[in-house]
Amino acid sequence: MRIRPALTLVLVAVLALAACGDDDGPATAPSGVLTVEGALDLSGSSVVDVAGFLHIDDRGPKLCSAILESFPPQCGEPAIFLVDFDPGTVPDLEEEQGISWAEGYLAPLQRVEGSTFRVVLR
């Protein structure tokens, strides 16, 4: 298979543009609060406010980037695993079939390791 030179240039340009990312820092919500993706992109263990969809199942609590529309809902990836979390502090927690969830959950978090974060009381 022979690729024409003009097509090769177009492919190279498209790949180069795709590789260019927005390097303005971690992803934030309009209020300056980090998204789940933004928190996972951070290095270090600073306390940051993170918003997402809270999902609790038999594997524990997670802050998800999205809630999948099944019923009961499932956690969309990426997700942050939460430690030192008290579900009693969540006013609008819904529950069905052993799954609990809340939309628009906001918490101060501090990285423990990898994708595991601690909920920090202020």
Side-chain angles (χ1 to χ4, degrees), residues 5 17 20 23 54 77 92 113:
L17 286 173
C20 293
D23 203 13
L54 179 64
E77 296 294 329
D92 297 326
E113 182 179 353

Side-chain angles (χ1 to χ4, degrees), residues 62-86:
K62 296 179 287 293
L63 192 60
C64 311
S65 60
I67 286 284
L68 305 180
E69 293 185 15
S70 58
F71 192 82
Q74 297 176 38
C75 182
E77 296 294 329
I80 291 173
F81 295 89
L82 301 174
V83 295
D84 297 338
F85 172 77
D86 178 8

Side-chain angles (χ1 to χ4, degrees), residues 49-110:
D49 291 327
V50 183
F53 298 93
L54 179 64
H55 186 270
I56 307 169
D57 60 17
D58 58 350
R59 294 172 291 194
K62 296 179 287 293
L63 192 60
C64 311
S65 60
I67 286 284
L68 305 180
E69 293 185 15
S70 58
F71 192 82
Q74 297 176 38
C75 182
E77 296 294 329
I80 291 173
F81 295 89
L82 301 174
V83 295
D84 297 338
F85 172 77
D86 178 8
T89 63
V90 182
D92 297 326
L93 194 61
E94 298 184 52
E95 186 175 350
E96 186 69 41
Q97 300 175 21
I99 306 291
S100 300
W101 69 94
E103 294 186 40
Y105 182 71
L106 173 65
L109 302 179
Q110 181 179 37

Side-chain angles (χ1 to χ4, degrees), residues 12-21:
V12 169
V14 168
L15 291 174
L17 286 173
C20 293

Side-chain angles (χ1 to χ4, degrees), residues 7 9 18 24 30 34 40 44 59 70 79 88 94 103 108 112 118 121:
L7 181 57
L9 289 174
D24 292 337
L34 292 178
L40 289 169
R59 294 172 291 194
S70 58
E94 298 184 52
E103 294 186 40
V112 174
R118 170 179 292 110
L121 299 177

